[in-house]
Amino acid sequence: MKKVIVLTHEYYPYRGGIGMYCYNLFRHLPPERYKVITDQPMLEDTTSQVASLRLLSRLVRPRWRRGVRVLSRFIQEFRGELIFTPHILPLGIVANRLFQTKGIPYVISLHGLDIGLALQSKRALTIDILRSAKHIVVNSDATGRLVHALEIPTPLTTITPSLDAARLSVNGKTRAALDEHYRGNTVLLSVGRLVRRKGFELVIRALPDLLKRSPALRYCIVGSGPEEARLRSIIHELHLEKNVDIRTDVTDSELGAYYDRADLFVLPTFKIGSDVEGFGIVFLEAASFGLPIIAGDSFGEREALGSDENAILLSEVTHDAVRDAIQSLLADPRRAATLGENARRRLQTVPTWEQQAKKIESVCS
């Protein structure tokens, strides 16, 4: 394996999907073979593998030129032989310029939304970056199909996310607090960034009808993001303050307890233009707790969940469809339990992060 520089806007302990994807792939590799450069401020002490540096200029245009200068110096110090970046724009431009000027090869990692937006905003540049890459890594076959449609000859490998079970240990203190808070309740759980395509609003708007049959129902949303204020406004509009919780500050050490206390996991994801669910690690997390799952079926979700035997996958994500799916599982506990157990069993067929790391090691050789 070449000495790799991982060039990313996100990295652990940042909890975004791309940051966790890169972290879990590379942490299983020999530490002397890679370094991480991120412009994300470190939230806590981390290892010497990570350097936090400003990669984009705040004033000078184009902004990526600063990244070329910063990375050039870092390559010399580390003697880097290859760049890996999960951000085709703008960090893919940095990698491409260094390939053109210094001959440093690079690998582009794609996750669904990124390739769609890049093609919309800078199609010719995006295609050039992909054509010049040593390799393209995609997080799902659905993302891979977007690349194949471009008829680009660059080698492509699908490396799907896996489950980090150790991160989901159940914190006893948190679980006890949740037991007290939700005593006597049936709990619906969603976990994810608060953006529209995750479908939180649809679940909230389904609650008035669901509460007529299941008055003890409660909905817990774990996540943060730009939709928070609007979701809270809808909750207030529907007088659901006592029925819906939005928890924006749940830590990794607490998250497992939320899955463990929940009765049903619902995340009715859907496509909005280029904004898609590239895979959905949270579906693997919910499955590891045997939760019955309701999900959208808009892009990469089926690759995370397998088939309709393991979850309710909604081809059309509407208010009525979400409401009816939740009601069907509440009314049929045996079916709900079967779906949850099937999803848990399927995890045995999902490659581990260690296995996926061997793939990235091969790609970077």
Side-chain angles (χ1 to χ4, degrees), residues 6-272:
V6 182
L7 184 64
T8 176
H9 290 310
E10 304 171 12
Y11 202 73
Y12 183 82
Y14 182 81
R15 291 181 60 193
I18 290 176
M20 294 302 296
Y21 180 83
C22 292
Y23 169 72
N24 279 305
L25 281 180
F26 281 92
R27 72 187 177 98
H28 295 290
L29 300 180
E32 68 275 9
R33 303 309 300 172
Y34 75 96
K35 292 284 187 182
V36 178
I37 298 182
T38 177
D39 51 5
Q40 163 204 312
M42 291 293 97
L43 305 178
E44 60 186 51
D45 289 340
T46 186
T47 69
S48 59
Q49 295 302 117
V50 183
S52 182
L53 302 171
R54 186 152 59 90
L55 298 171
L56 302 178
S57 173
R58 294 170 183 163
L59 298 175
V60 179
R61 304 289 177 173
R63 299 175 67 207
W64 51 261
R65 280 185 178 169
R66 177 183 175 86
V68 173
R69 294 195 300 271
V70 169
L71 198 56
S72 293
R73 291 194 296 269
F74 199 88
I75 287 171
Q76 289 181 334
E77 294 172 9
F78 178 58
R79 297 184 180 178
E81 300 171 302
L82 182 140
I83 299 166
F84 175 97
T85 183
H87 302 282
I88 189 166
L89 297 180
L91 297 185
I93 304 176
V94 174
N96 181 261
R97 291 301 185 269
L98 286 167
F99 172 68
Q100 292 177 0
T101 58
K102 296 182 180 297
I104 304 294
Y106 62 91
V107 173
I108 293 288
S109 173
L110 300 173
H111 300 263
L113 169 62
D114 48 2
I115 178 64
L117 290 179
L119 288 170
Q120 283 183 5
S121 63
K122 291 181 170 63
R123 184 178 182 86
L125 177 58
T126 296
I127 291 175
D128 181 59
I129 291 171
L130 293 175
R131 283 187 180 277
S132 299
K134 175 184 183 291
H135 211 104
I136 299 169
V137 171
V138 293
N139 68 334
S140 66
D141 289 336
T143 302
R145 285 191 287 273
L146 295 179
V147 180
H148 286 308
L150 301 173
E151 298 183 343
I152 290 172
T154 307
L156 183 146
T157 298
T158 299
I159 304 180
T160 55
S162 187
L163 176 70
D164 184 4
R167 192 172 70 93
L168 297 174
S169 60
V170 177
N171 182 297
K173 183 177 179 180
T174 303
R175 176 60 202 263
L178 292 172
D179 283 342
E180 179 63 27
H181 182 71
Y182 292 117
R183 187 178 300 278
N185 296 135
T186 299
V187 180
L188 308 179
L189 176 67
S190 295
V191 178
R193 180 165 165 75
L194 303 186
V195 293
R196 186 182 162 208
R197 69 168 173 82
K198 299 285 187 179
F200 304 110
E201 179 182 350
L202 294 171
V203 182
I204 293 170
R205 293 195 180 279
L207 283 175
D209 286 342
L210 293 169
L211 286 166
K212 292 174 184 177
R213 296 188 181 184
S214 305
L217 195 62
R218 299 293 181 268
Y219 181 32
C220 179
I221 302 171
V222 174
S224 60
E227 281 281 284
E228 180 184 350
R230 198 175 75 86
L231 292 175
R232 291 192 185 279
S233 176
I234 295 169
I235 291 166
H236 178 73
E237 168 198 329
L238 298 176
H239 308 290
L240 292 172
E241 289 89 347
K242 293 183 179 180
N243 305 97
V244 184
D245 295 320
I246 299 180
R247 304 289 181 94
T248 61
D249 56 353
V250 175
T251 65
D252 279 352
S253 64
E254 296 170 329
L255 182 59
Y258 281 81
Y259 283 113
D260 197 50
R261 175 57 188 85
D263 297 287
L264 191 156
F265 186 83
V266 53
L267 197 69
T269 45
F270 58 95
K271 182 179 180 181
I272 303 177

